[in-house]
Amino acid sequence: MIKLVQMTNAGVAGKFRNLFKAREIFFHDGTSLRRLTIGSRVQFALAVTALSLLLWSIFAAAQLAIVAAGPSQADIARMEREMESMQADVLTIKKVAQARYHLTAREVRRLGLDPDRLQEGVGGPLEAVPATRVADPNFKALFMSWKRLEKLEQGTIAIPSTEPVHGTAFTSGYGVRSDPFRGRAAMHAGIDLAGPIGTPIYATADGFVGRSQWVNGYGNLVELDHGRGIQTRYGHLSKSLVQEGQRVKRGDMIALMGSTGRSTGSHLHYEVRLDGKAVNPVPFMQSSNYLQSVQRRAAASTPIAIGGPEAGTR
Ligand SMILES: [Zn+2]
């Protein structure tokens, strides 16, 4: 058993590389051995967690066996040091997950969104492992931290965060400040961004095309549904380049600027709506680098597949 521990220790670096090369790791969820296929480098920290826990349980098992066999004091001291260091690593990983969650949740709240709402219906790769199957309390705590973080980060993909037009002149702001009575005809429900007719208009978040049609006042309108009650509207377009029901990604060109509808010159009328109610789009256009990097990471993370126990590993 000591030999096993020494081998594990010596082989950690090599194993790590090989495991990532193969993009598969095995971990124990407390009841059975599971296979985790890593599809992206962004899941690296998750894999570190799983691997640490796997090694941790090996050490724990080895330590018990050594006690029964009567090991030397030096063996026990060494293993205790290794255990402590590993437990510290696991704690660090958990703290990283929690810190990332709180930073992201703060950004989400700053935009007037509810972090819990954002996680509704979001199923990350970790959803594949039922929490009830996770027996070990240390693993469970880590697992839940990662699961919560993963869901929130995936949920941020719905938040409009980029500018719908590149390098445009800002001509008219959102009307709340000039008219405190929301819903009045005088209120300007969005912002106006001026530019030449034909200027490309880009989707500010991933979503589906809810509407691509003529609407009185808006002229040619594209409305995107981003999920979780979030919508964006793009008005006065000279041309829509998308069709209803079409899937769009953040940054996709969706339309060309124009002056259709109630408009006196070529500009984009841009709105952000939460549960159907127009809100000030400016904070969304000024989303922090942190939020944007979370969104990029979440969008780039290809799904990781978690398979059940392999035949013969149970
Ligand atoms: Zn406008």
Side-chain angles (χ1 to χ4, degrees), residues 188 191-192 236 267 269:
H188 190 218
I191 57 162
D192 292 343
H236 308 312
H267 75 281
H269 171 84

